[in-house]
Amino acid sequence: MGGGKARLTVTRIVLALFFLFAAILPLLGLFANLANPGAQAVFGTEQFITACINSVAVALTSTVIAVGLAIAMAWVLCRTNIRGKAAIGVLMTLPMLIPSLAHGMGLVFLFGSNGIITNLFFLDGSIYGFWGIVMGSVLYSFPSAFLIVYDVLKYEDALPYEAADILGIPKTHQFLSITLPYLRKPLISAVFATFTLVVTDYGVPLMVGGKCTTLPVLMYQEVIGLMNFDTGVAIGFVLLIPAVVAFLVDMLNADKGKLSFVSRGFAIAKNRVRDALGYLMSLGMSLFILLPLCSFAIVSFVTKYPIDLSFTFANVGRSFNMNAGDYWVNSLLIALAVSVIGTLLAYFAGYITARIKGRSAKILHLVAITTLAIPGIVLGLSYVLFFKGTFIYGTFAILILANLVHFFASPYLMAYNSLGKVNENLEAVGSTMGISRASILKDVLIPQTSETIVEMFSYFFVNCMVTISAVAFLATTLDMPLALLITDLDAQRLTECTAFVSLMILGTNVVLKLIMAGIKRAIRSRQECAVR
């Protein structure tokens, strides 16, 4: 038992040092730089004020549209009799598998001056500017909002609706009086999550923003292009505010008690008009998601877009000559390292906070979920200021560390929630029988939460493959991830190669998702055999 306590103590120390040096100290260093006169002067400039207004306007507009579409699609999948719901549900999450830069680029391929749809329907190619950013931001942020609403709506209890039907309450009143109150918390979470995603993203505005400059783009241009760190610090501080507000609101909005189980599922009645609208909505959203992805496949294999559309494999060779293969390997190494280390750290952090508890566990839980409030672009800049000149600066280690912190909170919460559902008296019973915590963890908890561990690994991997914000300021030509090559190729007007690189990232993540789905199926089969 003494050895088990020693191991837990070591785990606590490792996690404390991790958060201290990977999150707390870098952010404190960023705040310290706000005292510089150059940083303070930024707040009064016309350029900064205009970028602020643009960012807020884009984020508010995109949030309203994305959350509205998320509610509509979640309702279609949960309250209609349309076929192929599983496939449609997977399709709705595809935009999460490519960088936000690629979303903007896909819109340019479709609606730009020489876009496929622009030329087909003789449009003016005015995708650039405010509405272009909104369209790309909706595409980028929709899956997150959809998953939040859908995961709650599919477990809603049908009994209140059956009682309302018996009492003759109209469907519109049922929606306003039953559905919306039930969705209150997830909707608030979806709104703030979407707003934060959009307001801190520079990928979409960089591609389709035109003259409409947002704060992240201004920060990117000032730091990467002009090495003006004072401006970056000032903008980084401002970008941190909406993320922190979103985090605090979500925390205060947390349900006080545990959700009750579903008493009865929905028996969906036949309704041709409703189902026809469901099919129409699904078709529209599927086209909205698939067209930009299909444009990558088309442009990747044409000779010279849009001049010569003849088929060729030459762009594959050109991309690899531009080191796409090396950068893909870099991305794989970073993603695998972050997935393995991150899953271990997040799982053990979840174990301590969910199973051991105590004052130190509460502090650890607070710090772990607080990382959710740090935008990637702010984290990246804080790392530049804090780690510059150290032995990890300019190496794979700093990219791995940045991604660990940036994506830690969600996998941690997966582990925390999953471990919290297991009988809380398990360790106490084991102690009376002379069974150590380590044995319970190895033989009971890990097998019972194995699917959660797979999901945690998958989350880390996919997000590391697509992220640009957390690593944009930290990567060098030797350790650059593949996603950052998109901006370099686009700057060189190598449109076809840019499309192929995006396709590489999408393909890698799809393969990973398929592998993880196979592993989860094998886990379920083994568990079913064990029960028999």
Side-chain angles (χ1 to χ4, degrees):
M1 296 297 288
K5 288 183 178 179
R7 282 191 290 269
L8 284 173
T9 302
V10 170
T11 304
R12 285 193 181 100
I13 293 171
V14 169
L15 288 167
L17 290 174
F18 168 70
F19 286 117
L20 179 65
F21 286 99
I24 298 170
L25 292 178
L27 283 178
L28 291 176
L30 180 73
F31 294 146
N33 279 274
L34 280 172
N36 296 340
Q40 294 178 8
V42 172
F43 296 114
T45 62
E46 184 179 347
Q47 190 181 29
F48 172 82
I49 294 170
T50 302
C52 264
I53 294 171
N54 290 340
S55 290
V56 172
V58 164
L60 286 174
T61 308
S62 302
T63 299
V64 170
I65 297 172
V67 174
L69 291 174
I71 295 170
M73 276 311 304
W75 178 84
V76 166
L77 294 185
C78 296
R79 300 290 185 268
T80 69
N81 285 318
I82 66 169
R83 295 180 180 179
K85 289 183 180 181
I88 294 170
V90 171
L91 187 62
M92 294 301 105
T93 64
L94 279 183
M96 301 178 78
L97 304 183
I98 56 173
S100 59
L101 281 165
H103 292 299
M105 186 181 63
L107 292 177
V108 172
F109 290 158
L110 293 172
F111 302 104
S113 302
N114 294 305
I116 298 169
I117 293 178
T118 301
N119 291 332
L120 193 62
F121 294 100
F122 305 103
L123 303 177
D124 61 2
S126 58
I127 188 66
Y128 306 99
F130 178 85
W131 288 108
I133 302 175
V134 168
M135 189 183 294
S137 297
V138 169
L139 189 60
Y140 167 59
S141 61
F142 165 78
S144 298
F146 166 74
L147 287 175
I148 291 171
V149 178
Y150 175 64
D151 283 345
V152 174
L153 195 62
K154 68 182 178 181
Y155 294 118
E156 189 178 10
D157 189 359
L159 288 177
Y161 293 90
E162 293 177 4
D165 286 335
I166 293 171
L167 293 171
I169 299 173
K171 294 294 183 183
T172 52
H173 289 177
Q174 290 182 28
F175 178 78
L176 295 173
S177 303
I178 303 174
T179 308
L180 283 184
Y182 174 75
L183 291 176
R184 179 185 63 84
K185 184 188 183 305
L187 277 180
I188 292 173
S189 297
V191 166
F192 280 99
T194 304
F195 185 90
T196 304
L197 273 176
V198 175
V199 84
T200 59
D201 174 59
Y202 78 84
V204 171
L206 196 64
M207 286 293 180
V208 296
K211 295 180 180 179
C212 183
T213 303
T214 60
L215 282 175
V217 171
L218 181 60
M219 182 177 177
Y220 177 82
Q221 292 171 342
E222 290 290 324
V223 176
I224 295 288
L226 304 175
M227 301 299 287
N228 189 346
F229 290 103
D230 283 343
T231 301
V233 167
I235 297 174
F237 174 74
V238 173
L239 288 176
L240 195 60
I241 295 172
V244 171
V245 170
F247 168 76
L248 292 175
V249 170
D250 199 43
M251 285 282 291
L252 294 172
N253 188 52
D255 291 334
K256 297 294 185 279
K258 293 183 178 180
L259 290 174
S260 60
F261 59 87
V262 176
S263 298
R264 187 177 299 175
F266 278 81
I268 304 171
K270 290 183 179 180
N271 188 318
R272 290 184 178 181
V273 175
R274 179 203 62 207
D275 291 347
L277 289 174
Y279 280 117
L280 190 64
M281 181 70 194
S282 299
L283 177 63
M285 284 304 301
S286 298
L287 288 174
F288 180 55
I289 288 169
L290 285 177
L291 282 177
L293 301 182
C294 291
S295 71
F296 299 142
I298 295 171
V299 176
S300 295
F301 300 104
V302 299
T303 302
K304 184 65 180 175
Y305 175 82
I307 301 168
D308 185 355
L309 300 182
S310 58
F311 183 84
T312 180
F313 279 111
N315 300 318
V316 178
R318 288 170 65 196
S319 298
F320 280 92
N321 287 335
M322 299 291 290
N323 297 321
D326 294 337
Y327 296 144
W328 180 69
V329 172
N330 289 347
S331 285
L332 282 181
L333 290 174
I334 294 167
L336 287 171
V338 170
S339 299
V340 172
I341 299 170
T343 301
L344 285 171
L345 286 175
Y347 191 84
F348 281 110
Y351 173 75
I352 290 171
T353 54
R355 307 299 302 178
I356 298 175
K357 302 180 180 178
R359 183 178 297 177
S360 62
K362 289 180 180 178
I363 295 171
L364 176 60
H365 178 70
L366 183 62
V367 174
I369 61 175
T370 301
T371 59
L372 198 64
I374 309 173
I377 197 168
V378 177
L379 185 69
L381 181 59
S382 70
Y383 272 38
V384 172
L385 299 172
F386 183 75
F387 288 106
K388 193 169 186 179
T390 65
F391 69 95
I392 70 167
Y393 192 76
T395 67
F396 280 105
I398 196 168
L399 299 179
I400 292 169
L401 192 62
N403 281 314
L404 275 173
V405 176
H406 187 35
F407 301 119
F408 187 88
S410 292
Y412 161 75
L413 287 172
M414 291 180 198
Y416 175 80
N417 291 328
S418 185
L419 288 165
K421 292 176 183 176
V422 182
N423 191 326
E424 60 183 16
N425 299 316
L426 194 62
E427 285 82 2
V429 173
S431 179
T432 60
M433 299 176 66
I435 302 173
S436 67
R437 280 185 175 271
S439 296
I440 292 173
L441 179 64
K442 178 173 69 72
D443 298 328
V444 181
L445 294 177
I446 290 178
Q448 285 197 18
T449 58
S450 52
E451 286 194 44
T452 300
I453 294 172
V454 173
E455 280 296 326
M456 292 165 68
F457 185 95
S458 177
Y459 182 91
F460 274 120
F461 187 95
V462 167
N463 280 282
C464 285
M465 287 297 298
V466 304
T467 188
I468 54 173
S469 58
V471 295
F473 300 146
L474 301 169
T476 67
T477 53
L478 296 177
D479 57 23
M480 187 168 78
L482 185 61
L484 292 182
L485 185 60
I486 294 174
T487 50
D488 288 358
L489 294 175
D490 183 67
Q492 298 176 53
R493 297 291 187 267
L494 297 172
T495 306
E496 302 79 22
C497 297
T498 309
F500 179 72
V501 167
S502 300
L503 212 57
M504 285 177 68
I505 296 171
L506 177 63
T508 303
N509 281 333
V510 168
V511 169
L512 184 278
K513 284 287 189 181
L514 291 174
I515 292 171
M516 293 297 109
I519 293 173
K520 287 170 72 174
R521 193 176 296 114
I523 290 170
R524 289 193 200 105
S525 298
R526 185 179 299 176
Q527 289 172 343
E528 288 172 3
C529 290
V531 171
R532 291 171 191 166

